[in-house]
Amino acid sequence: MVTDINYTKKIVCVQPAHGRSETLWTGKGGDIHNTVVSKMREVLADCASHRASERLKQARGTAGERGWLRNYLLRGGNGGLYLIHWLGSKHSEPWSLCFDSRLPNS
C-alpha cells in the first residue's frame, strides 16, 4: 500500500497491505517511467520478505521459461506477438501504434 509520495525527491513509500492478493501481469498497465521498468528488470535478475521472495521466484521462473530477459519479441499463445523492450510506457505507445497500423483489419 502506498503511504507517501515525495515528488521532489521522486520517492514512493510503501508498506505491506493486510491480506493476500494474486498478482496479475497483463501488460496493459498505466504509464510507467523508463527508470522504474529498468529497476523492475534489475530486481527480476535480487527481495526482503518471504512472500515477496516467493512471488519474485515465481516471476523469475516465468521470465526465464518464456525468454523475457533474452528475447525482445515473443510469440503469444494466441498467435500474436509481444514486444518486451524493458522501456517505460512513453516508449511503448509508438511501438504499439506502429504494430497496430501494420495489422490487417479484423
Side-chain angles (χ1 to χ4, degrees):
M1 174 170 38
V2 175
T3 58
D4 188 35
I5 301 174
N6 184 324
Y7 292 97
T8 307
K9 294 182 179 179
K10 298 182 181 179
I11 295 174
V12 177
C13 299
V14 297
Q15 70 180 25
H18 298 289
R20 186 179 175 111
S21 68
E22 293 297 319
T23 305
L24 178 63
W25 297 87
T26 64
K28 296 181 179 180
D31 291 339
I32 304 174
H33 193 277
N34 284 348
T35 306
V36 174
V37 176
S38 176
K39 193 65 176 176
M40 287 168 59
R41 186 170 194 256
E42 228 178 90
V43 169
L44 272 176
D46 292 313
C47 204
S49 79
H50 176 70
R51 277 182 33 208
S53 293
E54 285 302 311
R55 283 187 173 176
L56 187 56
K57 182 178 176 182
Q58 227 179 357
R60 284 180 178 148
T62 301
E65 289 167 13
R66 298 188 181 179
W68 294 350
L69 301 175
R70 292 186 315 274
N71 304 307
Y72 291 98
L73 196 57
L74 306 171
R75 183 151 314 273
N78 61 358
L81 292 173
Y82 295 92
L83 177 65
I84 309 289
H85 50 63
W86 296 105
L87 296 173
S89 53
K90 183 160 78 169
H91 297 282
S92 297
E93 192 171 345
W95 284 106
S96 295
L97 293 171
C98 177
F99 289 137
D100 286 348
S101 71
R102 301 252 182 223
L103 295 174
N105 293 336
S106 336

